[in-house]
Amino acid sequence: MAGPNLFQNGESVSLQATHTRLMEELCNYFLFTQTALTSPRIIDLANEEEVVYMCNAARPATHATPLGQVVGDMIRIMSHRILMDHPKFFRFIPSPVDENSCLGNMITAMYNVRSWILGSGACTVQDTLIQWFAEQAGLPSSAGGIFVSGGSIANLTAILTARDAKLHFEQRHKAVIYVSEQTHSSIAKALIKPTSLLQEIEKDKKSGLVPFMVVATCGITNTGGIGELKALADISQSENL
């Protein structure tokens, strides 16, 4: 059984009409999930039949598929999820969906701005906001950065930045990062977790390793706890990390 076809009887429609119909469908769905207290289900896991259907739908077809059918398949496939924007949804880490953020994502995708030369306007706004965040955190005017898609990519960016700033290429195989038990999993995987930072740094140096980075946590994923940021910053500065 295929998903619903938004355009019946093989009707030919313009790109604008396609977008309008899709936006209406998405808006209706969003409004329904915001007001429905009993349905749809908060957790909708695909059964075996649906998994088979989705696998078949994901394989490239040997012929052109009507756009309405493609959109209908997408709606059916996306219905199997945890409904984080449901009024009765109160747990799990990701935040509920906000209609304004959905519009923001759509605008970002449509304009496809990726660098200053491709979109100086958006980059100016990004730089201004980053400067504002730096001011709120008490960082110097020289502080900078970029917005990324989420915490995992942000952590990876920070690690690469610290690596390139503190390590020579031939030192990388001996590099050490210090994390806590509550550090985000994107960093904590395969990394040591010391109980006493200074002792661990000294021990690692004696072993011929090269400490280069300390990961301080400001807002633990599960509890919101904040580490001893100033003390960790002082140690990092004194040890040139």
Side-chain angles (χ1 to χ4, degrees):
M1 177 181 176
N5 191 333
L6 295 187
F7 311 115
Q8 301 299 328
N9 303 320
E11 61 179 303
S12 177
V13 294
S14 66
L15 182 63
Q16 182 177 359
T18 301
H19 289 175
T20 300
R21 189 80 64 88
L22 176 58
M23 288 302 299
E24 289 176 350
E25 185 75 20
L26 294 176
C27 287
N28 289 336
Y29 177 76
F30 183 84
L31 292 174
F32 176 65
T33 58
Q34 289 290 300
T35 57
L37 294 178
T38 57
S39 63
R41 291 174 295 179
I42 296 178
I43 300 177
D44 189 340
L45 300 178
N47 57 31
E48 184 176 352
E49 179 183 353
E50 285 293 290
V51 170
V52 172
Y53 158 77
M54 290 186 288
C55 289
N56 291 331
R59 297 179 65 86
T62 57
H63 57 278
T65 304
L67 181 58
Q69 184 65 58
V70 173
V71 174
D73 287 341
M74 179 273 296
I75 292 174
R76 176 176 172 179
I77 291 170
M78 291 299 183
S79 68
H80 300 297
R81 64 187 182 96
I82 296 178
L83 208 61
M84 291 182 289
D85 48 342
H86 193 283
K88 288 187 175 181
F89 180 82
F90 295 112
R91 61 176 301 157
F92 201 53
I93 295 171
S95 59
V97 177
D98 177 80
E99 62 270 29
N100 294 316
S101 66
C102 293
L103 291 174
N105 284 334
M106 182 181 69
I107 292 171
T108 300
M110 292 182 67
Y111 281 93
N112 196 28
V113 174
R114 297 180 180 273
S115 65
W116 176 267
I117 194 172
L118 295 176
S120 57
C123 289
T124 298
V125 172
Q126 173 183 252
D127 292 344
T128 301
L129 283 173
I130 288 174
Q131 290 174 2
W132 182 85
F133 280 122
E135 292 170 0
Q136 303 308 304
L139 298 177
S141 59
S142 58
I146 58 172
F147 288 118
V148 293
S149 59
S152 295
I153 295 298
N155 290 335
L156 176 60
T157 303
I159 290 175
L160 293 178
T161 302
R163 182 199 68 182
D164 292 347
K166 295 297 182 180
L167 296 174
H168 297 296
F169 181 80
E170 61 273 12
Q171 293 177 312
R172 291 183 181 180
H173 69 289
K174 297 181 179 180
V176 179
I177 298 177
Y178 300 96
V179 302
S180 74
E181 293 288 345
Q182 295 296 328
T183 298
H184 192 270
S185 60
S186 63
I187 290 180
K189 291 177 180 177
L191 298 178
I192 65 171
K193 302 175 182 179
T195 57
S196 176
L197 181 58
L198 284 172
Q199 292 178 359
E200 289 293 331
I201 292 174
E202 186 64 26
K203 182 179 69 174
D204 289 333
K205 285 182 176 180
K206 290 180 179 179
S207 299
L209 300 177
V210 185
F212 77 102
M213 182 177 182
V214 175
V215 177
T217 302
C218 183
I220 295 171
T221 301
N222 294 326
T223 65
I226 298 176
E228 298 182 35
L229 303 182
K230 187 178 185 307
L232 293 174
D234 290 342
I235 293 174
S236 298
Q237 185 174 19
S238 66
E239 296 292 332
N240 193 30
L241 304 180

